[in-house]
Amino acid sequence: MDKAGDQAFRAQNNRERWVENTYGGALSFLRRRYSRDLNGVDVAVTGLPYDASVTYRPGCRLGPRAVRAASVQLAELKAFPFGFDPFEVLAVVDYGDCLMDPHHPESVVGDIEAHIAGILAGGAKPLSLGGDHFVAYPVLRAVAAHHGPVALLQFDAHCDTWTDDGKGLDHGTMFARAVSEGIVDVEHSTQIGLRTFNDSDHGFEILTAPWVHRQGIGAAVDVIRERVGDAPLYISFDIDGLDPAFAPGTGTPVLGGLASWQALELIRGLGGLNLVGMDVVEVSPPYDHAEITALAAATVAHDWLCLLAEAKGAERKMVGRL
Ligand code: MN
Ligand code: MN
């Protein structure tokens, strides 16, 4: 039992998986080692605990902690439905959180952008845990500075492209800004799960939640994949893309959304695409029950990591029909 427990700070390398009490020990995302050493690291997981851009209920500054806590069960078993341990081939660290000063919100964009730029400069892909959805804007600035304009796949109840003044910190307008600044390659981008109305699609392909319910997962995956092509794909997962039944812990819930199983099937359908980064945002633990929302966030992030592991050579094995 020498190598057991608290691998978040005791592990010496990024490929180890130790025995842990699921209910105890130091928390990190998927029990990954806390480190800012990005040598050989494929993915850096980081918290962006900012929630002053919301239009309704706050609380998602507490999201990163909750998602780390909810990830413990996913960390102890081989990945389902992949049948492998993603960390045998994929080096992932928990990079800790971006320190921001909420009393100087004008500094937040620069702080997050520099934080993510540091991850990218170190050769790792960013997996960010929000925070409200506005944090995706400075993340995208950093990602586009590194890769050029990226295709965006946005899971959301909302379009987040309402009228933008180019300056405000508003989680309902930042993707209009990202498109106008050319950091999102809108021709290759898709919004999915929407059930709010905007007079313009701003150039996005929009797959509303009712369309997905009627047409099915396969049709949605086909549209997304054809739209992306070989462009670098950044996934921004607003947890309110899920129905409030599957994600009650969020600030602006809207009925009629995706089920958690639909979201997982959609993520799992994106293998082989040029995946450059992801965020999972808008998890507000004060409104959550039984970790439903945090667990959904942890699982979609986990499954994205499994796609990256598969791209690095992890081989799927399955027992049972899939
Ligand atoms: Mn939303
Ligand atoms: Mn959003």
Side-chain angles (χ1 to χ4, degrees):
M1 295 292 279
D2 183 39
K3 282 197 164 189
D6 289 329
Q7 60 194 309
F9 66 91
R10 293 176 63 211
Q12 295 298 306
N13 74 65
N14 299 321
R15 300 282 159 70
E16 291 179 308
R17 184 200 288 268
W18 296 4
V19 173
E20 298 262 0
N21 287 134
T22 308
Y23 48 83
L27 290 171
S28 63
F29 187 67
L30 296 172
R31 303 288 194 184
R32 292 298 85 202
R33 192 168 72 105
Y34 272 107
S35 179
R36 295 226 169 175
D37 176 4
L38 295 178
N39 189 29
V41 169
D42 297 301
V43 179
V45 183
T46 189
L48 304 176
Y50 184 77
D51 69 357
S53 310
V54 299
T55 47
Y56 186 32
R57 309 190 300 206
C60 50
R61 67 175 60 184
L62 301 170
R65 281 187 187 175
V67 176
R68 286 185 175 105
S71 73
V72 289
Q73 285 188 94
L74 294 164
E76 69 178 14
L77 298 170
K78 282 186 176 176
F80 178 88
F82 301 90
F84 55 64
D85 174 355
F87 307 121
E88 286 181 3
V89 300
L90 192 74
V92 179
V93 295
D94 193 321
Y95 196 73
D97 291 353
C98 178
L99 184 68
M100 289 169 274
D101 183 350
H103 309 293
H104 289 280
E106 69 281 0
S107 64
V108 164
V109 169
D111 286 348
I112 294 176
E113 187 176 345
H115 183 78
I116 300 298
I119 289 171
L120 291 160
K125 299 180 182 189
L127 171 53
S128 304
L129 308 174
D132 72 49
H133 210 165
F134 182 80
V135 302
Y137 167 69
V139 172
L140 279 167
R141 286 180 61 91
V143 171
H146 190 81
H147 290 286
V150 290
L152 176 66
L153 174 59
Q154 176 192 351
F155 289 79
D156 211 318
H158 313 89
C159 58
D160 297 346
T161 53
W162 283 292
T163 304
D164 181 65
D165 67 4
K167 298 189 292 291
L169 276 58
D170 182 336
H171 76 156
T173 67
M174 71 285 165
F175 288 143
R177 192 178 308 175
V179 170
S180 73
E181 292 181 354
I183 59 180
V184 165
D185 176 3
V186 74
E187 293 293 314
H188 293 94
S189 298
T190 302
Q191 297 175 315
I192 188 164
L194 268 61
R195 51 235 192 249
T196 49
F197 188 80
N198 184 330
D199 285 317
S200 169
D201 61 16
H202 287 259
F204 285 95
E205 180 72 77
I206 295 175
L207 306 180
T208 66
W211 187 91
V212 176
H213 297 325
R214 286 195 293 265
Q215 302 300 320
I217 300 299
V221 167
D222 287 348
V223 171
I224 294 164
R225 295 186 71 98
E226 185 178 346
R227 185 92 171 158
V228 173
D230 55 11
L233 176 61
Y234 183 86
I235 300 174
S236 192
F237 199 107
D238 182 333
I239 205 70
D240 70 28
L242 301 183
D243 189 85
F246 299 92
T250 195
T252 43
V254 184
L255 282 252
L258 302 177
S260 48
W261 69 264
Q262 289 176 304
L264 294 174
E265 287 289 292
L266 289 163
I267 294 289
R268 291 167 187 166
L270 303 178
L273 296 176
N274 181 12
L275 305 168
V276 299
M278 183 183 195
D279 63 62
V280 186
V281 298
E282 298 282 353
V283 174
S284 182
Y287 295 96
D288 205 6
H289 305 279
E291 288 190 304
I292 298 170
T293 315
L295 190 55
T299 307
V300 295
H302 167 271
D303 282 17
W304 181 77
L305 291 174
C306 288
L307 296 183
L308 297 181
E310 194 166 33
K312 276 198 81 181
E315 287 186 32
R316 286 200 192 212
K317 303 178 204 72
M318 195 59 215
V319 175
R321 298 192 193 192
L322 183 66

